[in-house]
Amino acid sequence: MNGYPVGPAGQQWNASGPLWNPAGRPPAAPPAPTPALDPVRTVLDRSLHSLAALGGDLAGHANRIGAILWSPPRVVILGRLKAGKSTLVNALIGAPVAETAALEATNVVAIYTDGAPSRAEVVGLDGARRPLRVDSGMPVDLGCPATEVAYIERWLPSQAIRGLTLIDTPGLATLTTENETATRRALIDGFEQTRTASVNADAAVFLFDSVPRADELEFLRQLDFTPLNTLGVLSRADGFGEGPLGQRDPIAYAAEHSAPMAAELSDTVGTVLPIAGLLAETALTGQLTETDARALASLAGWEPFALIERLDSDSPAPPLDAAVRDRLLDLVGEYGLVHARTVAQGGAHTLNRWLATVSGVERFRHELHTSLARFAAIQRAGRILTELDTLAFQHPARDHIRAIVGAARRDPAMNEVVLFGCLRAMLDVDHDSPVVDELTRVLRARSDTDVVGLPSTAGPDEVRVAAAERLAWVQRQSLSTMSAAADSALTALHGTYAAIGRRTQPTG
Ligand SMILES: Nc1nc2c(ncn2[C@@H]2O[C@H](COP(=O)(O)OP(=O)(O)O)[C@@H](O)[C@H]2O)c(=O)[nH]1
Ligand SMILES: [Mg+2]
């Protein structure tokens, strides 16, 4: 008999307590303590225990849904071919694991999960799994055409993906500017695979190196993420504008450009961050050597145009030969060749630090692991509620299941999950509604003062008054709602502001 849940350490509980090892073997070691749960997970975990306690096949369902609860949120990396997706994945993981060159491998979805031993499997469209040989960290031969592959699953022990699973995808656009038939077919296949991979993702990173095209934005809208769990990346920032030889530093220019771009794309992405993924990859995968730094430093003193001209020639003059030049270009690009020569005089370590800093990857990583991870977890919790709703719809024990999921939704700890679900529904029916802005502000907020739009210095009385004003706004909006989604959203907002009113009520 199954018990719930299959916890993070693989343990199962039945309705009455821990039940180790589903195969019935005695445990090899004493049970690990259950990890501390955040409030949302606690509520969902409790709901799944109640579900399992209903008996019959429901323990199995609890474990199936519990597997979603217990695995890290999944972030899908989206963008057209050559946007720099795999390069960014390598930088984040800190190893050159994602294929960035061979067309075949760029054509399949790859899922990167923390785990040991380091290994890979290829999953066919029929669901069959085969081990995949990985050489120097890179999958080499798929053993079948890419069109027969659903995705590659890659496990490697990496702190960087412990809290988030990364999904690298082939491409977004339905059409390419080149008319080459094979490329087009490959892109369209990649497009389908990208769509499939996005379905079970909890958040997205969207890369573009100039203004995104209409078909890319349309594709993103169909995926059902919200701007809160979609992070925009202005990629290849080292080549932005006029590039490394232009009047302005391209990375600084890209940074300046990011805010207006975010405003323009605000119904798709929450933030836009400029990234030079190539520089980040080089810095974070430990590829730079002292020899590289010396070769780069030897170029100091050249005027930039003369330098590039010399590098473009078939036989660059000593101390550079063509192989060294190509290696440097692969590592730091033209931007690095022009801008990192002086820094390189300080040695490989100094150069490495400089690359990491200018690449923008630190800020990106911070955003990924704070805001994006938070909303990914919230979207995932919503997915679990939806799974429970579906089960209630199909199962003879529907009244009991409905009671369980209803209680979960009413739990105050689930408020953000409910509000987020309302936001998704509103974006579907009426994304220009003021209710969308209200939900977005409330969900971004990290305190009651934030929720009512006051500065953090505001006292409880001010917060209470502001909450009453928001409540009145909700009531006015309710008079003119046009959809069930707006009704639900206003009910949830009403509950949120009323609770703040109660919390800030003077005592005694
Ligand atoms: N100069 C520069 N080149 C980049 C950058 N990111 C990626 N590239 C290069 O662009 C090519 C395509 O990158 P890749 O990550 O494979 O793109 P993907 O198709 O989106 O996965 C590779 O040759 C990368 O080295 C960047 O930030 N700057
Ligand atoms: Mg790629």
Side-chain angles (χ1 to χ4, degrees), residues 85-86 99 106 168-169:
K85 299 178 295 292
S86 302
E99 184 64 81
T106 55
D168 190 13
T169 61

Side-chain angles (χ1 to χ4, degrees), residues 79-88 99-101 106 168-170 207 235-239 275-279 281 330 333-334:
R80 71 175 91 146
L81 191 72
K82 300 241 175 279
K85 299 178 295 292
S86 302
T87 304
L88 186 59
E99 184 64 81
T100 55
T106 55
D168 190 13
T169 61
L207 273 74
S235 66
R236 311 173 73 114
D238 54 322
I275 301 249
L278 178 67
L279 309 188
E281 181 188 40
D330 280 351
E334 283 194 356

Side-chain angles (χ1 to χ4, degrees), residues 31 37 57 60 69 79 141 215 219 273 280 283 312 317 347 372 380 411 414 444 446 469 508:
L37 294 181
D57 62 343
L69 179 67
D141 180 11
D215 60 348
F219 179 89
L273 298 178
D312 275 347
L372 201 73
R380 161 162 294 201
D411 195 299
M414 296 293 281
R444 281 217 170 100
R446 302 311 305 266
E469 279 165 14

Side-chain angles (χ1 to χ4, degrees), residues 218-230:
E218 184 49 36
F219 179 89
L220 276 178
R221 284 194 195 104
Q222 289 168 10
L223 293 180
D224 246 4
F225 296 110
T226 77
L228 293 175
N229 56 340
T230 309

Side-chain angles (χ1 to χ4, degrees), residues 22-47:
R25 289 186 297 271
T34 309
L37 294 181
D38 62 72
V40 167
R41 270 197 181 175
T42 305
V43 172
L44 293 173
D45 183 56
R46 203 189 308 134
S47 307

Side-chain angles (χ1 to χ4, degrees), residues 117-136:
S118 177
R119 65 197 189 281
E121 282 178 0
V122 51
V123 181
L125 291 176
D126 57 358
R129 287 176 174 263
R130 278 183 294 107
L132 186 67
R133 238 187 72 210
V134 283
D135 274 346
S136 63

